[in-house]
Short mmCIF file of all heavy atoms in Angstrom, two decimals:
data_model
loop_
_atom_site.label_atom_id
_atom_site.label_comp_id
_atom_site.label_asym_id
_atom_site.label_seq_id
_atom_site.Cartn_x
_atom_site.Cartn_y
_atom_site.Cartn_z
N MET C 119 28.53 -40.94 -72.73
CA MET C 119 29.23 -42.04 -72.21
C MET C 119 30.58 -41.49 -71.63
O MET C 119 31.26 -40.82 -72.41
CB MET C 119 29.51 -43.07 -73.35
CG MET C 119 30.56 -44.07 -72.94
SD MET C 119 30.66 -45.45 -74.18
CE MET C 119 30.93 -44.66 -75.72
N SER C 120 30.95 -41.81 -70.47
CA SER C 120 32.22 -41.35 -69.86
C SER C 120 33.38 -42.34 -70.30
O SER C 120 33.16 -43.52 -70.53
CB SER C 120 32.04 -41.26 -68.44
OG SER C 120 31.96 -42.57 -67.76
N ILE C 121 34.46 -41.65 -70.40
CA ILE C 121 35.63 -42.39 -70.71
C ILE C 121 36.65 -42.42 -69.59
O ILE C 121 37.04 -41.31 -69.10
CB ILE C 121 36.36 -41.81 -72.00
CG1 ILE C 121 35.37 -41.87 -73.19
CG2 ILE C 121 37.62 -42.60 -72.35
CD1 ILE C 121 35.81 -41.11 -74.38
N ARG C 122 37.06 -43.55 -69.23
CA ARG C 122 37.98 -43.64 -68.01
C ARG C 122 39.35 -43.69 -68.64
O ARG C 122 39.70 -44.38 -69.50
CB ARG C 122 37.76 -44.99 -67.29
CG ARG C 122 38.56 -45.22 -65.97
CD ARG C 122 38.03 -46.32 -65.19
NE ARG C 122 38.31 -47.61 -65.94
CZ ARG C 122 39.30 -48.34 -65.57
NH1 ARG C 122 40.16 -48.00 -64.55
NH2 ARG C 122 39.54 -49.48 -66.19
N ASP C 123 40.25 -42.81 -68.02
CA ASP C 123 41.67 -42.75 -68.44
C ASP C 123 42.43 -43.91 -67.72
O ASP C 123 42.35 -44.10 -66.34
CB ASP C 123 42.31 -41.42 -68.01
CG ASP C 123 41.85 -40.31 -68.87
OD1 ASP C 123 41.30 -40.54 -70.03
OD2 ASP C 123 41.87 -39.11 -68.45
N VAL C 124 43.20 -44.60 -68.43
CA VAL C 124 44.01 -45.76 -67.90
C VAL C 124 45.51 -45.44 -68.24
O VAL C 124 45.84 -45.49 -69.45
CB VAL C 124 43.60 -47.09 -68.50
CG1 VAL C 124 44.43 -48.24 -68.00
CG2 VAL C 124 42.16 -47.36 -68.25
N PRO C 125 46.34 -45.18 -67.32
CA PRO C 125 47.74 -44.93 -67.52
C PRO C 125 48.46 -46.18 -67.82
O PRO C 125 48.30 -47.22 -67.32
CB PRO C 125 48.18 -44.25 -66.29
CG PRO C 125 47.33 -44.78 -65.18
CD PRO C 125 46.02 -45.07 -65.85
N ILE C 126 49.47 -46.01 -68.87
CA ILE C 126 50.39 -47.04 -69.15
C ILE C 126 51.74 -46.49 -69.07
O ILE C 126 52.01 -45.33 -69.37
CB ILE C 126 50.14 -47.71 -70.61
CG1 ILE C 126 50.35 -46.73 -71.69
CG2 ILE C 126 48.77 -48.37 -70.61
CD1 ILE C 126 50.32 -47.33 -73.08
N ARG C 127 52.75 -47.28 -68.76
CA ARG C 127 54.18 -46.80 -68.61
C ARG C 127 54.91 -46.77 -69.91
O ARG C 127 55.73 -45.83 -70.08
CB ARG C 127 54.95 -47.80 -67.66
CG ARG C 127 54.63 -47.49 -66.20
CD ARG C 127 55.46 -48.42 -65.35
NE ARG C 127 54.56 -49.61 -64.99
CZ ARG C 127 54.84 -50.76 -64.90
NH1 ARG C 127 56.11 -51.18 -65.15
NH2 ARG C 127 54.07 -51.80 -64.71
N ASP C 128 54.62 -47.65 -70.85
CA ASP C 128 55.32 -47.60 -72.07
C ASP C 128 54.63 -46.71 -73.12
O ASP C 128 53.62 -46.21 -72.90
CB ASP C 128 55.51 -49.10 -72.54
CG ASP C 128 56.21 -49.99 -71.62
OD1 ASP C 128 57.29 -49.49 -71.02
OD2 ASP C 128 55.86 -51.15 -71.39
N GLU C 129 55.24 -46.69 -74.35
CA GLU C 129 54.74 -45.91 -75.46
C GLU C 129 53.56 -46.59 -76.02
O GLU C 129 52.65 -45.85 -76.63
CB GLU C 129 55.83 -45.67 -76.50
CG GLU C 129 56.83 -44.72 -76.20
CD GLU C 129 56.25 -43.25 -75.97
OE1 GLU C 129 55.54 -42.88 -76.86
OE2 GLU C 129 56.55 -42.65 -74.93
N SER C 130 53.46 -47.91 -75.95
CA SER C 130 52.33 -48.68 -76.56
C SER C 130 52.14 -49.95 -75.73
O SER C 130 52.90 -50.30 -74.95
CB SER C 130 52.70 -49.00 -77.98
OG SER C 130 53.80 -49.94 -78.02
N ILE C 131 50.93 -50.51 -76.12
CA ILE C 131 50.48 -51.73 -75.40
C ILE C 131 49.65 -52.45 -76.41
O ILE C 131 48.96 -51.85 -77.19
CB ILE C 131 49.79 -51.38 -74.06
CG1 ILE C 131 49.52 -52.72 -73.33
CG2 ILE C 131 48.48 -50.63 -74.35
CD1 ILE C 131 48.87 -52.45 -71.93
N ARG C 132 49.69 -53.77 -76.36
CA ARG C 132 48.79 -54.62 -77.22
C ARG C 132 47.35 -54.55 -76.77
O ARG C 132 47.03 -54.48 -75.52
CB ARG C 132 49.22 -55.99 -77.27
CG ARG C 132 50.54 -56.25 -78.16
CD ARG C 132 50.82 -57.64 -78.25
NE ARG C 132 52.02 -57.80 -79.09
CZ ARG C 132 53.25 -57.80 -78.72
NH1 ARG C 132 53.45 -57.71 -77.36
NH2 ARG C 132 54.30 -57.94 -79.46
N LEU C 133 46.47 -54.60 -77.70
CA LEU C 133 45.00 -54.52 -77.36
C LEU C 133 44.61 -55.58 -76.36
O LEU C 133 43.90 -55.23 -75.35
CB LEU C 133 44.20 -54.68 -78.70
CG LEU C 133 42.64 -54.63 -78.50
CD1 LEU C 133 42.17 -53.33 -77.84
CD2 LEU C 133 41.99 -54.89 -79.81
N GLY C 134 44.91 -56.78 -76.55
CA GLY C 134 44.62 -57.83 -75.57
C GLY C 134 45.10 -57.52 -74.13
O GLY C 134 44.26 -57.68 -73.22
N GLN C 135 46.26 -57.08 -74.02
CA GLN C 135 46.79 -56.64 -72.71
C GLN C 135 46.01 -55.48 -72.13
O GLN C 135 45.73 -55.41 -70.89
CB GLN C 135 48.25 -56.28 -72.79
CG GLN C 135 49.16 -57.49 -73.15
CD GLN C 135 50.60 -56.99 -73.41
OE1 GLN C 135 50.83 -56.10 -74.15
NE2 GLN C 135 51.54 -57.74 -72.88
N PHE C 136 45.70 -54.48 -72.95
CA PHE C 136 44.94 -53.30 -72.48
C PHE C 136 43.56 -53.60 -71.93
O PHE C 136 43.06 -53.00 -71.04
CB PHE C 136 44.93 -52.22 -73.57
CG PHE C 136 44.27 -50.89 -73.01
CD1 PHE C 136 45.07 -50.07 -72.18
CD2 PHE C 136 43.07 -50.54 -73.36
CE1 PHE C 136 44.41 -48.93 -71.66
CE2 PHE C 136 42.46 -49.44 -73.01
CZ PHE C 136 43.15 -48.62 -72.07
N LEU C 137 42.94 -54.60 -72.66
CA LEU C 137 41.51 -54.89 -72.29
C LEU C 137 41.64 -55.42 -70.80
O LEU C 137 40.67 -55.12 -70.01
CB LEU C 137 41.04 -55.98 -73.27
CG LEU C 137 40.56 -55.43 -74.54
CD1 LEU C 137 40.24 -56.70 -75.53
CD2 LEU C 137 39.37 -54.50 -74.49
N LYS C 138 42.58 -56.20 -70.49
CA LYS C 138 42.69 -56.73 -69.09
C LYS C 138 43.05 -55.61 -68.17
O LYS C 138 42.46 -55.51 -67.10
CB LYS C 138 43.76 -57.87 -69.03
CG LYS C 138 43.35 -59.12 -69.86
CD LYS C 138 44.36 -60.18 -69.82
CE LYS C 138 45.65 -59.83 -70.54
NZ LYS C 138 46.67 -60.90 -70.53
N LEU C 139 44.05 -54.87 -68.61
CA LEU C 139 44.52 -53.72 -67.60
C LEU C 139 43.40 -52.79 -67.31
O LEU C 139 43.30 -52.28 -66.19
CB LEU C 139 45.72 -52.98 -68.35
CG LEU C 139 46.25 -51.78 -67.53
CD1 LEU C 139 46.95 -52.23 -66.30
CD2 LEU C 139 47.24 -51.04 -68.43
N ALA C 140 42.58 -52.42 -68.34
CA ALA C 140 41.52 -51.53 -68.14
C ALA C 140 40.27 -52.09 -67.49
O ALA C 140 39.30 -51.38 -67.19
CB ALA C 140 41.14 -50.91 -69.43
N GLY C 141 40.28 -53.43 -67.21
CA GLY C 141 39.16 -54.02 -66.62
C GLY C 141 37.98 -54.26 -67.62
O GLY C 141 36.87 -54.48 -67.22
N LEU C 142 38.27 -54.16 -68.92
CA LEU C 142 37.21 -54.43 -69.91
C LEU C 142 37.07 -55.93 -70.26
O LEU C 142 36.10 -56.30 -70.86
CB LEU C 142 37.57 -53.59 -71.18
CG LEU C 142 37.54 -52.08 -70.93
CD1 LEU C 142 38.11 -51.39 -72.21
CD2 LEU C 142 36.21 -51.49 -70.54
N ALA C 143 38.11 -56.62 -69.79
CA ALA C 143 38.01 -58.14 -70.01
C ALA C 143 38.48 -58.78 -68.73
O ALA C 143 39.43 -58.18 -68.08
CB ALA C 143 38.92 -58.59 -71.19
N GLU C 144 37.98 -59.96 -68.34
CA GLU C 144 38.26 -60.55 -67.12
C GLU C 144 39.69 -61.20 -67.21
O GLU C 144 40.46 -61.19 -66.24
CB GLU C 144 37.22 -61.68 -66.81
CG GLU C 144 35.82 -61.19 -66.64
CD GLU C 144 34.86 -62.28 -66.66
OE1 GLU C 144 35.25 -63.44 -66.53
OE2 GLU C 144 33.71 -61.94 -66.69
N ASP C 145 40.08 -61.71 -68.32
CA ASP C 145 41.36 -62.47 -68.45
C ASP C 145 41.70 -62.41 -70.01
O ASP C 145 40.99 -62.03 -70.84
CB ASP C 145 41.39 -63.81 -67.88
CG ASP C 145 40.28 -64.65 -68.41
OD1 ASP C 145 39.82 -64.64 -69.62
OD2 ASP C 145 39.75 -65.42 -67.61
N GLY C 146 42.85 -63.09 -70.34
CA GLY C 146 43.21 -63.16 -71.70
C GLY C 146 42.26 -63.91 -72.56
O GLY C 146 42.08 -63.48 -73.66
N GLY C 147 41.69 -64.92 -72.20
CA GLY C 147 40.76 -65.71 -72.88
C GLY C 147 39.45 -64.93 -73.14
O GLY C 147 38.94 -64.91 -74.23
N HIS C 148 39.02 -64.13 -72.17
CA HIS C 148 37.84 -63.25 -72.38
C HIS C 148 38.19 -62.14 -73.39
O HIS C 148 37.36 -61.82 -74.28
CB HIS C 148 37.39 -62.65 -71.10
CG HIS C 148 36.12 -61.88 -71.05
ND1 HIS C 148 36.02 -60.71 -70.50
CD2 HIS C 148 35.01 -62.17 -71.68
CE1 HIS C 148 34.79 -60.11 -70.73
NE2 HIS C 148 34.19 -61.08 -71.48
N ALA C 149 39.35 -61.61 -73.30
CA ALA C 149 39.78 -60.62 -74.24
C ALA C 149 39.84 -61.16 -75.68
O ALA C 149 39.32 -60.50 -76.56
CB ALA C 149 41.17 -59.99 -73.88
N LYS C 150 40.36 -62.33 -75.81
CA LYS C 150 40.32 -62.96 -77.16
C LYS C 150 38.93 -63.21 -77.65
O LYS C 150 38.66 -62.87 -78.83
CB LYS C 150 41.08 -64.32 -77.03
CG LYS C 150 41.32 -65.06 -78.38
CD LYS C 150 42.02 -66.38 -78.21
CE LYS C 150 42.08 -67.06 -79.48
NZ LYS C 150 42.67 -68.42 -79.29
N GLU C 151 38.08 -63.57 -76.81
CA GLU C 151 36.64 -63.85 -77.26
C GLU C 151 36.00 -62.56 -77.70
O GLU C 151 35.35 -62.50 -78.72
CB GLU C 151 35.86 -64.51 -76.14
CG GLU C 151 34.42 -64.73 -76.37
CD GLU C 151 33.69 -65.29 -75.22
OE1 GLU C 151 34.29 -66.21 -74.53
OE2 GLU C 151 32.61 -64.86 -74.91
N LEU C 152 36.26 -61.46 -76.93
CA LEU C 152 35.56 -60.14 -77.24
C LEU C 152 36.00 -59.67 -78.56
O LEU C 152 35.31 -59.16 -79.36
CB LEU C 152 35.86 -59.13 -76.11
CG LEU C 152 35.21 -59.33 -74.83
CD1 LEU C 152 35.88 -58.38 -73.72
CD2 LEU C 152 33.74 -59.09 -74.87
N ILE C 153 37.37 -59.84 -78.82
CA ILE C 153 37.97 -59.38 -80.13
C ILE C 153 37.47 -60.20 -81.28
O ILE C 153 37.06 -59.62 -82.33
CB ILE C 153 39.50 -59.43 -80.03
CG1 ILE C 153 39.90 -58.38 -79.02
CG2 ILE C 153 40.10 -59.11 -81.44
CD1 ILE C 153 41.39 -58.48 -78.51
N GLU C 154 37.39 -61.52 -81.03
CA GLU C 154 36.97 -62.47 -82.12
C GLU C 154 35.56 -62.25 -82.58
O GLU C 154 35.16 -62.40 -83.73
CB GLU C 154 37.21 -63.94 -81.75
CG GLU C 154 38.65 -64.22 -81.79
CD GLU C 154 38.93 -65.73 -81.44
OE1 GLU C 154 37.96 -66.40 -80.81
OE2 GLU C 154 40.08 -66.23 -81.58
N THR C 155 34.69 -61.84 -81.54
CA THR C 155 33.29 -61.65 -81.85
C THR C 155 32.96 -60.25 -82.24
O THR C 155 31.82 -59.76 -82.27
CB THR C 155 32.43 -62.06 -80.59
OG1 THR C 155 32.80 -61.36 -79.47
CG2 THR C 155 32.49 -63.62 -80.40
N GLU C 156 34.03 -59.42 -82.50
CA GLU C 156 33.93 -58.10 -82.96
C GLU C 156 33.14 -57.20 -82.06
O GLU C 156 32.46 -56.22 -82.45
CB GLU C 156 33.37 -57.98 -84.44
CG GLU C 156 34.20 -58.75 -85.37
CD GLU C 156 33.68 -58.69 -86.85
OE1 GLU C 156 32.69 -58.02 -87.09
OE2 GLU C 156 34.33 -59.29 -87.67
N ASP C 157 33.37 -57.48 -80.71
CA ASP C 157 32.74 -56.55 -79.63
C ASP C 157 33.60 -55.41 -79.21
O ASP C 157 33.18 -54.70 -78.36
CB ASP C 157 32.39 -57.41 -78.46
CG ASP C 157 31.18 -58.38 -78.81
OD1 ASP C 157 30.38 -58.00 -79.59
OD2 ASP C 157 31.17 -59.43 -78.19
N VAL C 158 34.72 -55.23 -79.74
CA VAL C 158 35.77 -54.26 -79.30
C VAL C 158 35.96 -53.20 -80.45
O VAL C 158 36.19 -53.51 -81.56
CB VAL C 158 37.15 -54.91 -79.05
CG1 VAL C 158 38.20 -53.84 -78.65
CG2 VAL C 158 37.02 -55.97 -77.91
N THR C 159 35.91 -51.94 -80.05
CA THR C 159 36.20 -50.88 -81.03
C THR C 159 37.46 -50.10 -80.50
O THR C 159 37.66 -50.00 -79.31
CB THR C 159 35.14 -49.91 -81.30
OG1 THR C 159 34.75 -49.17 -80.02
CG2 THR C 159 33.80 -50.62 -81.88
N VAL C 160 38.29 -49.61 -81.41
CA VAL C 160 39.35 -48.75 -81.10
C VAL C 160 39.13 -47.51 -81.97
O VAL C 160 39.05 -47.55 -83.18
CB VAL C 160 40.72 -49.40 -81.41
CG1 VAL C 160 41.89 -48.48 -81.23
CG2 VAL C 160 40.96 -50.73 -80.68
N ASN C 161 39.05 -46.32 -81.26
CA ASN C 161 38.72 -45.13 -81.96
C ASN C 161 37.56 -45.30 -82.81
O ASN C 161 37.59 -44.82 -84.01
CB ASN C 161 39.93 -44.60 -82.64
CG ASN C 161 41.10 -44.44 -81.73
OD1 ASN C 161 40.97 -44.04 -80.58
ND2 ASN C 161 42.34 -44.60 -82.18
N ASP C 162 36.48 -45.89 -82.32
CA ASP C 162 35.16 -45.97 -83.05
C ASP C 162 35.20 -47.03 -84.24
O ASP C 162 34.34 -47.03 -85.10
CB ASP C 162 34.60 -44.63 -83.44
CG ASP C 162 34.16 -43.88 -82.31
OD1 ASP C 162 33.70 -44.43 -81.28
OD2 ASP C 162 34.45 -42.58 -82.31
N GLN C 163 36.28 -47.78 -84.37
CA GLN C 163 36.41 -48.74 -85.47
C GLN C 163 36.53 -50.13 -84.93
O GLN C 163 37.30 -50.38 -83.92
CB GLN C 163 37.68 -48.49 -86.33
CG GLN C 163 37.66 -47.01 -87.02
CD GLN C 163 36.64 -46.96 -88.11
OE1 GLN C 163 36.47 -47.87 -88.86
NE2 GLN C 163 36.01 -45.84 -88.10
N VAL C 164 35.79 -51.13 -85.38
CA VAL C 164 35.84 -52.48 -84.92
C VAL C 164 37.29 -52.97 -85.14
O VAL C 164 37.85 -52.78 -86.20
CB VAL C 164 34.84 -53.37 -85.66
CG1 VAL C 164 35.05 -54.80 -85.36
CG2 VAL C 164 33.42 -52.98 -85.39
N GLU C 165 37.79 -53.65 -84.12
CA GLU C 165 39.13 -54.08 -84.27
C GLU C 165 39.13 -55.61 -84.01
O GLU C 165 38.59 -56.07 -82.88
CB GLU C 165 40.18 -53.37 -83.24
CG GLU C 165 41.55 -53.82 -83.27
CD GLU C 165 42.11 -53.69 -84.68
OE1 GLU C 165 42.36 -52.52 -85.10
OE2 GLU C 165 42.46 -54.75 -85.30
N VAL C 166 39.78 -56.38 -84.82
CA VAL C 166 39.81 -57.80 -84.67
C VAL C 166 41.19 -58.40 -84.46
O VAL C 166 41.44 -59.63 -84.50
CB VAL C 166 39.17 -58.57 -85.83
CG1 VAL C 166 37.63 -58.26 -85.96
CG2 VAL C 166 39.86 -58.16 -87.18
N ARG C 167 42.23 -57.50 -84.41
CA ARG C 167 43.59 -57.96 -84.15
C ARG C 167 43.94 -57.80 -82.69
O ARG C 167 44.11 -56.64 -82.16
CB ARG C 167 44.53 -57.15 -84.98
CG ARG C 167 44.31 -57.29 -86.42
CD ARG C 167 45.13 -56.38 -87.32
NE ARG C 167 44.64 -54.93 -86.97
CZ ARG C 167 45.22 -53.87 -87.21
NH1 ARG C 167 46.58 -53.86 -87.76
NH2 ARG C 167 44.76 -52.73 -86.95
N ARG C 168 44.11 -58.96 -81.94
CA ARG C 168 44.45 -58.89 -80.49
C ARG C 168 45.78 -58.19 -80.31
O ARG C 168 46.02 -57.51 -79.26
CB ARG C 168 44.42 -60.29 -79.88
CG ARG C 168 44.50 -60.38 -78.50
CD ARG C 168 44.26 -61.68 -77.90
NE ARG C 168 45.23 -62.72 -78.34
CZ ARG C 168 45.33 -63.86 -77.72
NH1 ARG C 168 44.41 -64.28 -77.01
NH2 ARG C 168 46.31 -64.66 -78.13
N GLY C 169 46.72 -58.36 -81.25
CA GLY C 169 48.04 -57.81 -81.11
C GLY C 169 48.21 -56.36 -81.57
O GLY C 169 49.30 -55.77 -81.59
N ARG C 170 47.06 -55.73 -81.96
CA ARG C 170 47.14 -54.27 -82.36
C ARG C 170 47.82 -53.45 -81.32
O ARG C 170 47.52 -53.48 -80.09
CB ARG C 170 45.68 -53.80 -82.56
CG ARG C 170 45.45 -52.30 -82.47
CD ARG C 170 45.33 -51.64 -83.75
NE ARG C 170 45.31 -50.15 -83.69
CZ ARG C 170 44.25 -49.45 -83.98
NH1 ARG C 170 43.12 -49.99 -84.39
NH2 ARG C 170 44.35 -48.10 -83.77
N GLN C 171 48.78 -52.66 -81.79
CA GLN C 171 49.49 -51.81 -80.88
C GLN C 171 48.64 -50.50 -80.65
O GLN C 171 48.27 -49.84 -81.59
CB GLN C 171 50.86 -51.43 -81.48
CG GLN C 171 51.80 -52.52 -81.52
CD GLN C 171 52.29 -52.95 -80.17
OE1 GLN C 171 52.63 -52.10 -79.23
NE2 GLN C 171 52.36 -54.26 -79.92
N LEU C 172 48.43 -50.20 -79.44
CA LEU C 172 47.68 -49.00 -79.05
C LEU C 172 48.66 -47.99 -78.53
O LEU C 172 49.65 -48.35 -77.93
CB LEU C 172 46.65 -49.35 -77.88
CG LEU C 172 45.63 -50.42 -78.25
CD1 LEU C 172 44.86 -50.71 -77.04
CD2 LEU C 172 44.71 -49.93 -79.41
N ARG C 173 48.29 -46.70 -78.74
CA ARG C 173 49.21 -45.62 -78.28
C ARG C 173 48.38 -44.67 -77.44
O ARG C 173 47.20 -44.68 -77.42
CB ARG C 173 49.79 -44.92 -79.46
CG ARG C 173 50.54 -45.84 -80.34
CD ARG C 173 51.71 -45.20 -81.05
NE ARG C 173 52.47 -46.24 -81.84
CZ ARG C 173 53.46 -46.94 -81.39
NH1 ARG C 173 53.76 -46.85 -80.16
NH2 ARG C 173 54.16 -47.84 -82.20
N HIS C 174 49.05 -43.73 -76.75
CA HIS C 174 48.43 -42.79 -75.91
C HIS C 174 47.31 -42.04 -76.69
O HIS C 174 47.65 -41.60 -77.82
CB HIS C 174 49.41 -41.77 -75.32
CG HIS C 174 50.46 -42.42 -74.45
ND1 HIS C 174 51.70 -41.95 -74.34
CD2 HIS C 174 50.45 -43.56 -73.77
CE1 HIS C 174 52.43 -42.72 -73.64
NE2 HIS C 174 51.72 -43.76 -73.20
N GLY C 175 46.21 -41.81 -76.08
CA GLY C 175 45.09 -41.17 -76.71
C GLY C 175 44.09 -42.09 -77.40
O GLY C 175 42.95 -41.69 -77.67
N ASP C 176 44.46 -43.26 -77.67
CA ASP C 176 43.53 -44.28 -78.28
C ASP C 176 42.43 -44.56 -77.26
O ASP C 176 42.65 -44.67 -76.07
CB ASP C 176 44.20 -45.60 -78.68
CG ASP C 176 45.08 -45.42 -79.95
OD1 ASP C 176 44.79 -44.56 -80.70
OD2 ASP C 176 45.97 -46.32 -80.06
N VAL C 177 41.16 -44.72 -77.76
CA VAL C 177 40.02 -45.01 -76.91
C VAL C 177 39.46 -46.42 -77.32
O VAL C 177 39.18 -46.60 -78.50
CB VAL C 177 38.90 -43.96 -77.13
CG1 VAL C 177 37.76 -44.38 -76.35
CG2 VAL C 177 39.39 -42.63 -76.70
N VAL C 178 39.37 -47.25 -76.36
CA VAL C 178 38.90 -48.65 -76.59
C VAL C 178 37.59 -48.78 -75.86
O VAL C 178 37.39 -48.36 -74.73
CB VAL C 178 39.86 -49.64 -75.97
CG1 VAL C 178 39.41 -51.07 -76.13
CG2 VAL C 178 41.28 -49.52 -76.65
N ALA C 179 36.63 -49.37 -76.61
CA ALA C 179 35.22 -49.54 -76.08
C ALA C 179 34.77 -50.96 -76.18
O ALA C 179 34.99 -51.66 -77.18
CB ALA C 179 34.26 -48.59 -76.77
N VAL C 180 34.08 -51.37 -75.11
CA VAL C 180 33.49 -52.74 -75.11
C VAL C 180 32.15 -52.60 -74.36
O VAL C 180 32.13 -52.07 -73.18
CB VAL C 180 34.34 -53.79 -74.43
CG1 VAL C 180 33.69 -55.20 -74.31
CG2 VAL C 180 35.66 -53.91 -75.06
N ASP C 181 31.06 -53.04 -74.92
CA ASP C 181 29.78 -53.08 -74.23
C ASP C 181 29.41 -51.87 -73.52
O ASP C 181 28.98 -51.79 -72.39
CB ASP C 181 29.78 -54.30 -73.22
CG ASP C 181 29.78 -55.56 -73.93
OD1 ASP C 181 29.42 -55.75 -75.09
OD2 ASP C 181 30.37 -56.53 -73.27
N GLY C 182 29.53 -50.71 -74.23
CA GLY C 182 29.20 -49.35 -73.61
C GLY C 182 30.23 -48.79 -72.68
O GLY C 182 30.02 -47.73 -72.06
N ARG C 183 31.26 -49.50 -72.32
CA ARG C 183 32.32 -49.00 -71.46
C ARG C 183 33.51 -48.67 -72.26
O ARG C 183 33.99 -49.35 -73.13
CB ARG C 183 32.74 -50.09 -70.39
CG ARG C 183 31.56 -50.52 -69.51
CD ARG C 183 31.99 -51.57 -68.55
NE ARG C 183 32.29 -52.71 -69.32
CZ ARG C 183 33.19 -53.77 -68.85
NH1 ARG C 183 33.80 -53.53 -67.69
NH2 ARG C 183 33.50 -54.71 -69.66
N SER C 184 34.14 -47.50 -71.93
CA SER C 184 35.35 -47.01 -72.68
C SER C 184 36.44 -46.70 -71.78
O SER C 184 36.31 -46.18 -70.59
CB SER C 184 34.92 -45.65 -73.38
OG SER C 184 33.89 -45.89 -74.34
N ALA C 185 37.63 -46.87 -72.38
CA ALA C 185 38.87 -46.59 -71.68
C ALA C 185 39.93 -45.92 -72.61
O ALA C 185 39.95 -46.27 -73.77
CB ALA C 185 39.49 -47.76 -70.95
N ARG C 186 40.57 -44.83 -72.28
CA ARG C 186 41.60 -44.14 -73.03
C ARG C 186 42.93 -44.29 -72.45
O ARG C 186 43.15 -44.18 -71.21
CB ARG C 186 41.16 -42.60 -73.10
CG ARG C 186 42.24 -41.83 -73.81
CD ARG C 186 41.93 -40.33 -73.86
NE ARG C 186 41.20 -39.92 -72.79
CZ ARG C 186 39.96 -39.23 -72.81
NH1 ARG C 186 39.36 -39.08 -73.95
NH2 ARG C 186 39.37 -38.81 -71.69
N LEU C 187 43.98 -44.62 -73.30
CA LEU C 187 45.26 -44.76 -72.84
C LEU C 187 45.81 -43.33 -72.63
O LEU C 187 45.73 -42.52 -73.46
CB LEU C 187 46.17 -45.43 -73.96
CG LEU C 187 46.06 -46.91 -74.08
CD1 LEU C 187 44.74 -47.26 -74.88
CD2 LEU C 187 47.23 -47.42 -74.79
N VAL C 188 46.55 -43.18 -71.44
CA VAL C 188 47.21 -41.99 -71.12
C VAL C 188 48.63 -42.39 -70.62
O VAL C 188 48.91 -43.51 -70.17
CB VAL C 188 46.40 -41.17 -70.08
CG1 VAL C 188 45.11 -40.66 -70.64
CG2 VAL C 188 46.23 -41.91 -68.76
N ALA C 189 49.52 -41.42 -70.74
CA ALA C 189 50.94 -41.56 -70.29
C ALA C 189 50.86 -41.80 -68.73
O ALA C 189 50.31 -41.10 -67.97
CB ALA C 189 51.75 -40.46 -70.57
N GLY C 190 51.56 -42.89 -68.22
CA GLY C 190 51.68 -43.15 -66.81
C GLY C 190 53.05 -42.68 -66.34
O GLY C 190 53.97 -42.19 -67.15
N SER C 191 53.21 -42.72 -65.01
CA SER C 191 54.45 -42.23 -64.49
C SER C 191 55.44 -43.43 -64.29
O SER C 191 55.13 -44.63 -64.24
CB SER C 191 54.22 -41.61 -63.12
OG SER C 191 53.52 -42.45 -62.27
#
């Protein structure tokens, strides 16, 4: 499975925001639904906290699609 790198400007981002930014969720409501139904993993662990702070290098996966946070400019 390929992992797409998604740059962020800050040191961290909330999981719900990152799902939208990475295109893994259509909008905030979709992100909330994915998290509540335990369809989201962070570093291969199911994550149910929408406000979870993600940092550079974390890998988020949904339905076989993965995105990794990287430092942006």
